[in-house]
Amino acid sequence: MTTPAERVAELREQIAFHSERYFIEDSPVIPDADYDQLVKELLVLEAAHPELVVESSPSLRVGAPTSTAFSPVNHGQPMLSLDNVFDEAELREWSERLVKSLGRDDVKFSIEPKIDGLALSILYVDGEYSVAATRGDGRVGEDVTANVATMASVPQRLAGVTTTGRLEVRGEVYIDKAAFDQLNASLAKAGERLFANPRNTAAGSLRQKDPVATARRPLSFLAYQLVVLEGHDELASITGHDQALEALDRFGFSVAPTVQHVQGAAAMVEASGWFEAHRHDLPYEIDGVVIKATRLADRDLLGSTSRAPRWAIARKLPPEERTTTLLAIEVSIGRTGRATPYAVLEPVVVAGSTVSMATLHNQDQVRAKDVRPGDLVIVRKAGDVIPEVVAHVPSPGVIRAPEWQFPQVCPECHGALERTGEESDTYCTNPACPAQTREQIVHFASRSAMDIEGLGEQRVVQLLTSGLIRDVADLYALSIDSMQELEGLGQLSATALVEAIALSRAQPLSRVLIGLGIRHVGPVAARSIAATFSTMPELLDASSDDLAAVDGVGAVIAASVVTFMEDPENRTLLERLASSGLALREPEVTSTVAQTLVGKAIVVTGSLEGFSRDGAEAAIISRGGTSPGSVSKKTFCVVVGEAPGASKVTKAAELGIPVVSAEGFASLLETGEIS
Ligand code: IVH
């Protein structure tokens, strides 16, 4: 008979083995469900025998039951982006504008590293770790609570906080350079594929479906912002960013030790130069320096646009550029048929990762850059993500190849390539082009769409060439038996693939919309549309006016959706997807704030104490309401602040819409009722 201690040891070993296969090597040998079963059995045993729990147990690192998708989380306050400057002169100009609007030149600035990771917001309720969310679109992020719970640098309880209230700690999740190198070294030793760079590895690690996998990655968190949402009166005495960072440090967070607080623009520029000079001495990769007004009162005066605060700026450091040889120019065909030229390069390390291909965007760009096979070229990682060829380096005396010509036929189907009118892009005009079909299916299965694990480009090509599928709807008819003939696909992988496809049936409507690749419909529009119409039948009923009225959807997107939905072939595809059992519905958003204003349209006019314009709007939206710009019969109430717009107040009186004073706004937010 196996003793509980023996079984626990056995389970830990098996879990470690399988999570390595699954999450690090991307080649699982057992289906997800079996893996989950092992974790569950371990949890049950440990609960019954607490003496067997050890610190390294995967169970200790699991914050919540594993889920296949991340639920949406409304941020208590929007997570804004930063505006950029690219050199010292622009930085001086920014500070001059700031000094001018504040009317003082003794402005205090804080200068921080801009860590190249991903932003995270962590909600603490009464000092207890509660919800962690990625930035998402700034208003709604992804719920990564269970994953972040496994990170040692994120306290479960705020040290020394005894008062009640709700606050969000924001900062950057990253992998430091040494840990990244170590991770890759161990992969190299095992003969495994390496990770490309710390940022993407951190992002991928944070967004694992299983917290145990996140726990195995060396993620760190550095806090740079404290947002008090409610209560915690003692924190009201904080008047500057320096004090906020001290508080975060006291709570148990890491704060960048290199942060400097200085007075005056000249000192600020000098401090920002320090980071440029010491970029490579820092333990993590940075892509810039963030400069913030230190005093919170100054920040309030300066306010924010809907995109970024006016009180902060990112000084981007020059992206790293390298020279290498351009071996060839080739053309790839995308899911819309667009033919994109790209450079095949002698591999070169740029900004920390090896680059062997780089986009050349389109025909005009190739011409403009005058790059030809055999040239020495400058490669840059633009925006630090997509490598591009910047230019060729003239080599006097060397005879160059003739100018490169854009091909006239599609490299995949040999159909005609066409470039029409004003467009700079060239397209393959053959609707049956196998490259387009392939890319459409790959896109449908991709992480940002239906997220079908194990269905990458290679597998799609195999399924297409074997005739098992012709389009995305065919995926749902695949069986383990039908795939038996496929080379390199064993019983286990076939089972895993069929299960992954089956799981994708439950994906929310927004992901299906992304996956369909409707022109102009990106993730943001897809989520707004899905949140508004909830189900596919409702969406099919929507007119282009209905669609254009959705937040973030204009006439162009609306027309494109309607055109797509009216196309008979697309209709048939949607019907086949529905009869394949896809859910085609959008679940309700879970929120960290009480949803007191669901379905209520609240118009704000004039300024409200304690809120920026965007802040008041965001407070309404995060509680489930909407905040349109004009008063109509559908308006629930009009909130009137200082210096209101006369027309809105008159219109409200005309239509008999209730008016709420600035004082009544807080209770409206809290209760959803007019007091
Ligand atoms: S402040 C409203 N501080 O940069 C304040 N951001 O481009 C917004 N980032 O999404 C953020 N280091 O992911 C701030 N010290 C720092 C930062 C930082 C990195 C990232 C963050 C943000 C992005 C904005």
Side-chain angles (χ1 to χ4, degrees):
M1 238 303 285
T2 328
T3 67
E6 283 164 352
R7 182 64 186 149
V8 162
E10 208 169 81
L11 285 167
R12 282 188 194 135
E13 201 171 310
Q14 287 182 10
I15 290 167
F17 171 78
H18 290 300
S19 57
E20 184 105 11
R21 298 286 307 190
Y22 186 86
F23 294 103
I24 304 198
E25 298 169 21
D26 283 333
S27 56
V29 288
I30 57 169
D32 282 14
D34 293 19
Y35 175 84
D36 294 345
Q37 195 55 46
L38 293 175
V39 176
K40 214 177 277 166
E41 189 186 340
L42 177 63
L43 288 171
V44 169
L45 271 174
E46 286 187 346
H49 303 276
E51 74 281 3
L52 297 177
V53 179
V54 293
E55 215 174 293
S56 62
S57 173
S59 64
L60 274 184
R61 318 242 100 206
V62 183
T66 59
S67 75
T68 47
F70 301 102
S71 14
V73 175
N74 277 335
H75 297 302
Q77 213 178 74
M79 287 182 82
L80 298 179
S81 185
L82 289 172
D83 286 331
N84 295 322
V85 290
F86 293 93
D87 57 32
E88 210 176 284
E90 289 182 1
L91 180 62
R92 282 184 203 282
E93 277 167 32
W94 172 78
S95 67
E96 275 161 23
R97 282 200 302 276
L98 188 134
V99 163
K100 207 164 146 202
S101 18
L102 290 175
R104 282 185 289 112
D105 57 12
D106 64 347
V107 178
K108 263 183 96 175
F109 293 100
S110 303
I111 301 97
E112 309 182 343
K114 185 169 188 299
I115 301 152
D116 202 4
L118 69 156
L120 183 76
S121 184
I122 313 169
L123 174 71
Y124 284 84
V125 178
D126 301 339
E128 297 284 350
Y129 176 80
S130 168
V131 177
T134 61
R135 188 167 84 161
D137 65 3
R139 299 207 152 152
V140 181
E142 295 167 296
D143 188 338
V144 286
T145 309
N147 293 358
V148 172
T150 69
M151 291 171 54
S153 48
V154 173
Q156 286 298 306
R157 179 142 198 107
L158 299 179
V161 172
T162 51
T163 51
T164 60
R166 296 180 333 113
L167 61 83
E168 285 182 4
V169 174
R170 293 182 174 173
E172 202 78 356
V173 174
Y174 68 96
I175 293 181
D176 71 39
K177 290 190 260 190
F180 179 77
D181 290 344
Q182 226 173 1
L183 183 62
N184 260 353
S186 66
L187 290 176
K189 214 164 151 193
E192 302 291 350
R193 224 178 42 217
L194 305 187
F195 287 113
N197 61 52
R199 202 217 91 91
N200 291 352
T201 312
S205 304
L206 185 67
R207 299 175 67 261
Q208 291 285 340
K209 290 176 184 169
D210 184 344
V212 175
T214 302
R216 298 178 63 87
R217 301 277 173 81
L219 291 174
S220 304
F221 179 75
L222 215 103
Y224 53 64
Q225 202 181 1
L226 172 63
V227 182
V228 180
L229 298 167
E230 230 171 60
H232 292 305
D233 293 343
E234 80 282 12
L235 299 177
S237 63
I238 292 180
T239 56
H241 187 54
D242 39 4
Q243 294 164 7
L245 293 182
E246 275 163 28
L248 288 168
D249 180 52
R250 274 202 311 278
F251 294 164
F253 290 96
S254 299
V255 172
T258 46
V259 177
Q260 299 183 51
H261 307 284
V262 302
Q263 190 161 323
M268 178 275 284
V269 172
E270 195 189 326
S272 85
W274 183 89
F275 282 94
E276 189 166 11
H278 292 83
R279 177 181 193 173
H280 298 289
D281 304 333
L282 296 172
Y284 32 72
E285 288 197 347
I286 63 169
D287 57 344
V289 188
V290 184
I291 297 109
K292 303 170 176 175
T294 307
R295 294 188 188 104
L296 303 187
D298 288 352
R299 294 186 180 188
D300 286 344
L301 284 170
L302 294 160
S304 299
T305 67
S306 62
R307 206 194 85 84
R310 287 195 197 86
W311 46 261
I313 196 85
R315 176 183 176 181
K316 297 287 267 189
L317 293 180
E320 290 189 4
E321 292 182 351
R322 296 290 304 272
T323 53
T324 188
T325 306
L326 174 65
L327 301 175
I329 300 177
E330 292 181 0
V331 167
S332 72
I333 305 294
R335 65 187 156 85
T336 57
R338 186 164 67 205
T340 306
Y342 65 94
V344 181
L345 303 164
E346 185 76 51
V348 59
V349 177
V350 189
S353 58
T354 304
V355 175
S356 55
M357 279 190 291
T359 183
L360 287 162
H361 303 288
N362 55 46
Q363 186 172 19
D364 296 343
Q365 290 272 329
V366 182
R367 237 183 244 147
K369 290 170 180 166
D370 185 21
V371 286
R372 307 176 190 186
D375 280 355
L376 197 60
V377 292
I378 298 172
V379 182
R380 177 169 65 192
K381 277 193 78 189
D384 288 347
V385 185
I386 306 163
E388 67 169 349
V389 172
V390 184
H392 86 264
V393 182
S395 317
V398 175
I399 298 171
R400 301 178 70 201
E403 197 181 322
W404 181 77
Q405 300 298 325
F406 207 96
Q408 301 195 323
V409 295
C410 171
E412 304 240 11
C413 72
H414 307 291
L417 288 183
E418 254 178 40
R419 181 176 170 178
T420 45
E422 299 289 287
E423 285 218 43
S424 50
D425 289 326
T426 306
Y427 284 87
C428 167
T429 52
N430 173 13
C433 171
Q436 292 178 45
T437 311
R438 177 187 72 222
E439 295 306 318
Q440 280 158 11
I441 301 172
V442 171
H443 171 73
F444 183 80
S446 69
R447 217 172 175 160
S448 63
M450 300 299 273
D451 197 11
I452 303 175
E453 200 94 30
L455 191 57
E457 174 135 2
Q458 254 182 330
R459 193 66 74 212
V460 170
V461 169
Q462 242 186 344
L463 291 168
L464 281 167
T465 46
S466 63
L468 285 174
I469 60 167
R470 274 160 300 134
D471 58 26
V472 295
D474 289 338
L475 291 171
Y476 295 95
L478 285 174
S479 66
I480 301 166
D481 280 351
S482 69
M483 289 191 286
Q484 223 143 35
E485 307 292 297
L486 297 188
E487 205 170 301
L489 188 76
Q491 183 82 5
L492 283 169
S493 315
T495 311
L497 182 57
V498 168
E499 281 183 10
I501 293 171
L503 273 179
S504 77
R505 288 195 170 93
Q507 288 288 18
L509 179 60
S510 49
R511 282 179 171 269
V512 180
L513 293 177
I514 296 169
L516 290 171
I518 304 168
R519 233 179 150 188
H520 307 301
V521 179
V524 175
R527 283 193 281 268
S528 300
I529 293 170
T532 309
F533 300 102
S534 306
T535 66
M536 186 59 89
E538 278 178 65
L539 175 56
L540 288 171
D541 274 348
S543 67
S544 61
D545 284 347
D546 295 340
L547 277 158
V550 175
D551 244 1
V553 177
V556 175
I557 297 179
S560 170
V561 173
V562 170
T563 311
F564 182 93
M565 298 291 171
E566 280 175 354
D567 180 290
E569 274 187 36
N570 292 336
R571 279 277 178 165
T572 313
L573 182 73
L574 293 176
E575 277 157 23
R576 286 170 55 220
L577 287 175
S579 56
S580 305
L582 266 69
L584 300 174
R585 66 168 46 244
E586 193 72 0
E588 300 230 329
V589 173
T590 58
S591 178
T592 58
V593 289
Q595 296 295 286
T596 47
L597 301 176
V598 174
K600 293 176 179 166
I602 295 159
V603 175
V604 179
T605 176
S607 61
L608 299 170
E609 210 192 334
F611 288 95
S612 64
R613 241 217 97 68
D614 292 324
E617 214 169 90
I620 295 167
I621 291 166
S622 70
R623 285 164 179 81
T626 56
S627 185
S630 60
V631 181
S632 76
K633 275 194 304 210
K634 291 188 198 147
T635 306
F636 175 68
C637 66
V638 177
V639 180
V640 181
E642 282 270 296
S647 68
K648 286 181 186 156
V649 179
T650 326
K651 188 85 187 266
E654 261 172 42
L655 296 172
I657 307 281
V659 167
V660 173
S661 67
E663 290 74 18
F665 187 48
S667 91
L668 171 69
L669 290 178
E670 203 177 306
T671 63
E673 301 301 331
I674 298 161
S675 53

